[in-house]
Amino acid sequence: MKNRFYIFLLGLLLLTSCSQYNNLLKTTDVECKYEAAKAYFIGRDYAKAAPLLEELISMLKGNRNAEESLYMLAMCYYESKDYETSSQYFKTYYTTYQRGVYSEIARFHCGKSLYKNIPVPELDQTSTYNAIQELQLFIEYYPTSEYKREAQEMLFAMHDILVEKDYLSAKLYYDLGCFDVMRNNYQACIVTAQNALKDYPYTKLREDLSMLILRAKYKMAYKSVEDKKVDRYRDAVDEYYAFKNEFPESKYLEEAEKYYREALKVVNE
């Protein structure tokens, strides 16, 4: 019955002029402003609901409608795809109303807002780490939530992005090739790829990272000074065995076997 009232009220609001909406913004009648904001919200007119709710947050302090107004404001920004602002308001909600009616969904949407705002793998991933932390906390707080599976799927997707960033970084070190004065780029490639495998052992890029390690170890041996060549080629041979054992039908097998044969020639001399 109450929803019908809001729909009716929305119909009236839609027939009003801009000047009447401006009057709603200016009015000090908190109840009138609240009912109008809620009607706009239910009608998905978030552009009109949000300014009213922004004002209501301070006007309704201590009022029974303050909690719902804050939640609706966060949802207005979320539905308007302003995910940075929505995440801030969702966080404000669940920290202000820790046992609030919307605490669970506010925590979830805070994490989801951050997730929807993460950058491509090539860019800085600070916001991705923030989204991961938020969703992990959500799962800890609500382990039986109906949103748990979706939260986990977002976490897996972000882990993939972080692994891809590590893979691109490792590949960049490899592509730099020869040693420079300050660093062994092949060693940097190996360490970066190994750390990615350690942090994300079930990544879909596991085969690619493993091959990159083998490739870098072979190249490092090939470019080494004479007194280090044999040991480094031996290390490449060991890496080949580990790679072949884990990926016996790898798309990289022909390339891996080529490195193995070349390395074995030096090891067996």
Side-chain angles (χ1 to χ4, degrees):
M1 194 70 176
K2 200 169 184 180
N3 280 343
R4 287 182 183 176
F5 166 73
Y6 288 128
I7 293 169
F8 171 72
L9 180 58
L10 177 64
L12 293 178
L13 289 170
L14 292 174
L15 293 173
T16 60
S17 66
C18 291
S19 62
Q20 288 173 306
Y21 177 73
N22 288 334
N23 288 336
L24 279 172
L25 289 171
K26 294 174 184 176
T27 186
T28 57
D29 186 336
V30 176
E31 191 64 25
C32 176
K33 194 186 291 277
Y34 169 76
E35 296 295 350
K38 192 163 185 177
Y40 281 125
F41 179 79
I42 291 172
R44 299 178 181 272
D45 192 343
Y46 304 116
K48 283 189 170 69
L52 295 171
L53 291 166
E54 289 274 10
E55 293 188 7
L56 282 167
I57 287 176
S58 57
M59 295 171 70
L60 286 170
K61 282 184 179 178
N63 185 288
R64 60 187 174 83
N65 294 323
E67 178 183 345
E68 186 177 31
S69 295
L70 181 55
Y71 170 73
M72 286 193 294
L73 180 59
M75 285 302 299
C76 279
Y77 284 112
Y78 178 82
E79 295 294 350
S80 301
K81 302 187 189 309
D82 184 349
Y83 298 120
E84 184 175 354
T85 305
S86 68
S87 68
Q88 293 168 0
Y89 276 118
F90 281 126
K91 190 162 192 172
T92 300
Y93 175 91
Y94 75 68
T95 53
T96 304
Y97 304 102
Q98 295 181 20
R99 298 180 181 275
V101 176
Y102 306 103
S103 293
E104 179 181 340
I105 196 168
R107 275 192 177 273
F108 173 73
H109 274 91
C110 181
K112 190 171 182 178
S113 295
L114 292 170
Y115 168 75
K116 284 180 172 289
N117 213 32
I118 60 178
V120 295
E122 292 82 357
L123 301 180
D124 178 74
Q125 294 298 312
T126 300
S127 58
T128 305
Y129 287 111
N130 291 337
I132 288 173
Q133 182 181 39
E134 197 68 42
L135 287 169
Q136 285 176 333
L137 284 172
F138 166 75
I139 292 173
E140 287 180 21
Y141 274 93
Y142 303 100
T144 60
S145 171
E146 64 179 295
Y147 304 109
K148 180 180 178 180
R149 183 171 181 178
E150 187 178 352
Q152 289 174 325
E153 288 172 353
M154 287 187 281
L155 286 171
F156 294 149
M158 286 187 287
H159 289 164
D160 286 342
I161 288 172
L162 295 178
V163 174
E164 185 175 353
K165 183 174 179 62
D166 286 344
Y167 174 76
L168 292 173
S169 297
K171 191 173 184 303
L172 177 61
Y173 284 127
Y174 178 84
D175 291 340
L176 288 172
C178 297
F179 304 158
D180 58 32
V181 176
M182 298 300 295
R183 99 173 25 161
N184 179 335
N185 293 313
Y186 291 124
Q187 184 62 35
C189 167
I190 293 165
V191 171
T192 302
Q194 287 176 334
N195 286 339
L197 289 173
K198 180 180 177 181
D199 292 338
Y200 309 102
Y202 303 109
T203 173
K204 61 184 180 182
L205 291 177
R206 184 172 182 83
E207 182 180 350
D208 303 270
L209 286 162
S210 298
M211 184 61 204
L212 194 55
I213 293 169
L214 172 57
R215 199 178 285 146
K217 285 189 174 184
Y218 172 81
K219 288 290 186 180
M220 187 164 66
Y222 181 77
K223 297 284 186 178
S224 289
V225 294
E226 288 301 321
D227 63 340
K228 292 185 177 180
K229 274 187 182 293
V230 174
D231 285 342
R232 286 179 171 171
Y233 272 122
R234 189 175 288 115
D235 192 23
V237 168
D238 291 341
E239 193 66 37
Y240 162 78
Y241 285 129
F243 179 83
K244 187 178 180 181
N245 182 60
E246 185 170 359
F247 308 103
E249 298 180 3
S250 172
K251 59 186 176 182
Y252 299 114
L253 198 55
E254 186 176 342
E255 181 187 358
E257 288 175 345
K258 173 188 162 187
Y259 295 144
Y260 167 71
R261 289 192 300 269
E262 293 300 317
L264 211 56
K265 289 177 185 178
V266 178
V267 171
N268 290 336
E269 281 182 355

